[in-house]
Every structure is written in structure tokens, then in C-alpha cells.
Amino acid sequence: PKLVLLASLVVFLMLLIDVRSPIKAALVALPLVVGMLLFLGVCHLLRLELNMFNMIVLPSILGIGIDNAVHIHHRYIEEGRGSARYVLRTTGYAAMLASLTTAIGFGSSMVSSHLGLRSLGMLAVIGIASTLASAVLFYPCLLSVIEDFERWRDSRARDLAEMVHGEPRLSRVSNPGISARSTEPPDVP
């Protein structure tokens, strides 16, 4: 448990250095938390026990799991608002391939005759799959929900400004129909 807590702390500190905001770091770490909870749930359902031998894989799962969310986050920031689907198709696919090759490497120990190595491989595969699922399913959905909330909040602010000033005001909200990848100009009447 101490090793897992230390690894978690190091991961979060590295996120803080990377994204330079505690809120953004927590947002990027959230898929890892969800993935680890999913991992623990699957282990419970399969009656897999964590012991001193196979627990050594948990820091590796943390490191591998956060990697996917960080790559998706950076691509999303690079592409801009409205790009969650595109990010999932590109970076999500790359994260899936990287996680798959890592899981195959760890999973090769599942054919070992040694029960400890076998359980380590099983836990690694479940952990990598859980954190990957969270990064490519949960995180893009979370980003879309945040976008929708921000769009709603901006529209409410615009409506309030119109009520107070009696006329429509220009807002700073970009056209949600235009993504950062679009090369076509917006429709002008």
C-alpha cells in the first residue's frame, strides 16, 4: 500500500508539473482513478487477491494508465473545443495499440507454471485494460460533458447580457460547429 500511495503521489506531482494547474491535473488523473476502481471491481468479481508478490504490478499499472489520459488530454488541448471524437479516433487508437502491446508483454507471464507470475500477469492485463477503457471511453465523454456545460454557461451569460443591456452583445464563444481541424470558413449570410 505504501508503494502504491507513493507512486500515486509521484504521478500527481508529475501531472502538476505538466499541466501547471491543480484542477487540470485532477481532471487528467480522474480517468486513472476510474480505471483503478474498475480494476479493483473486476478483481473482486473474479476473486483475484492482491498479495505481496503480485502487488508489485500496481505502480506499473498507475504509470501505464496515466500515460493514455495524458496523451488524450494533450491532443484535445492541441485540437481545441469540439474535437473529442477526432482525438478518440487518432490518439485513442494509438493509446489502444500501445496498451495492447504492453498487456501482451505482461500477459505472457499468465502461461507460467509459477502461480505468482501467473497472478501478476493476470492483474497487469486487467489493470491495463481497465485504465485504457477509462481513458478512451470515460475521459472523452467527460470532456464532451464539460464542453456542453461551458456552452450552456456561455449561452446563459449571453442571455443575461441581452436582458440587462436590451440588445444582443457579441460573445467570445467560438462557433461550436467549427473545430480546430476545419479549414472551411463559417457560413456568412
Side-chain angles (χ1 to χ4, degrees):
K2 288 180 184 179
L3 188 59
V4 174
L5 290 174
L6 181 63
S8 301
L9 182 64
V10 168
V11 164
F12 192 75
L13 288 175
M14 296 303 287
L15 277 176
L16 274 173
I17 292 168
D18 182 38
V19 298
R20 298 186 177 117
S21 160
I23 293 173
K24 286 182 182 177
L27 182 69
V28 176
L30 193 57
L32 179 62
V33 172
V34 170
M36 291 304 288
L37 290 173
L38 179 61
F39 163 71
L40 292 172
V42 170
C43 286
H44 179 73
L45 285 175
L46 297 176
R47 293 191 169 99
L48 296 174
E49 293 182 20
L50 290 173
N51 55 44
M52 292 309 289
F53 185 76
N54 62 21
M55 194 177 284
I56 196 73
V57 78
L58 293 179
S60 297
I61 294 171
L62 289 172
I64 294 164
I66 196 64
D67 208 29
N68 295 328
V70 167
H71 290 306
I72 289 171
H73 174 77
H74 281 294
R75 176 54 71 93
Y76 176 78
I77 295 300
E78 181 181 301
E79 296 299 330
R81 236 172 144 176
S83 64
R85 285 185 180 178
Y86 174 76
V87 168
L88 184 58
R89 281 194 316 269
T90 56
T91 307
Y93 183 71
M96 183 188 70
L97 288 177
S99 293
L100 181 64
T101 58
T102 305
I104 289 170
F106 273 108
S108 65
S109 64
M110 288 178 11
V111 297
S112 172
S113 60
H114 189 275
L115 292 178
L117 278 176
R118 193 180 307 163
S119 70
L120 186 135
M122 176 108 32
L123 289 177
V125 169
I126 293 169
I128 292 168
S130 298
T131 55
L132 172 67
S134 178
V136 299
L137 298 175
F138 170 76
Y139 194 47
C141 291
L142 177 64
L143 292 174
S144 293
V145 167
I146 291 170
E147 281 181 11
D148 289 345
F149 173 76
E150 288 174 345
R151 203 172 292 122
W152 173 83
R153 182 195 62 205
D154 292 346
S155 113
R156 298 295 294 168
R158 194 171 42 251
D159 292 346
L160 182 62
E162 288 176 7
M163 284 176 29
V164 169
H165 299 288
E167 61 186 52
R169 296 179 59 106
L170 295 175
S171 72
R172 299 185 314 164
V173 177
S174 64
N175 185 346
I178 298 176
S179 72
R181 303 221 26 99
S182 177
T183 57
E184 299 179 6
D187 295 329
V188 178

